[in-house]
Amino acid sequence: MAKLTLLENGPILFEADGTYVYQHGGQDETLDQKAVALCRCGASANKPFCDGSHKRIDFKAEGGEITLK
Ligand code: FES
C-alpha cells in the first residue's frame, strides 16, 4: 500500500511499504525509500524530487491525502 500526502504549500510526500519502479526521462528507476518528497511547485532543480525551492518561490497550495490500495 502507498500513501500520497499533499503537504500544504509544499511537496507531495510519497510513502510506501515496498519497492517501486518508476520511469524518469524514459528510464526505469527504483525507489526503495519508505518516504520521498515529490516536487509539485515546478521549481526544484532535482525533479521529480523536492529540493526545498517551494519555500523560495512562496508556493501556495492546499494540503490533502490520497491512499493507494
Ligand atoms: S515542492 Fe518543493 S521544490 Fe517543488
Side-chain angles (χ1 to χ4, degrees):
M1 188 164 71
K3 184 171 109 178
L4 299 171
T5 304
L6 286 65
L7 299 178
E8 184 176 354
N9 304 329
I12 299 169
L13 185 63
F14 176 81
E15 298 171 276
D17 53 7
T19 299
Y20 282 79
V21 176
Y22 66 99
Q23 284 198 327
H24 181 234
Q27 297 191 359
D28 286 350
E29 297 188 27
T30 301
L31 181 65
D32 55 8
Q33 297 170 259
K34 290 197 180 293
V36 65
L38 301 172
C39 178
R40 71 171 168 150
C41 75
S44 175
N46 189 32
K47 291 182 194 81
F49 305 106
C50 170
D51 69 356
S53 293
H54 59 272
K55 294 176 188 166
R56 177 178 47 81
I57 66 166
D58 197 26
F59 176 69
K60 299 291 184 203
E62 292 184 18
E65 192 171 284
I66 299 168
T67 300
L68 308 172
K69 297 181 179 179

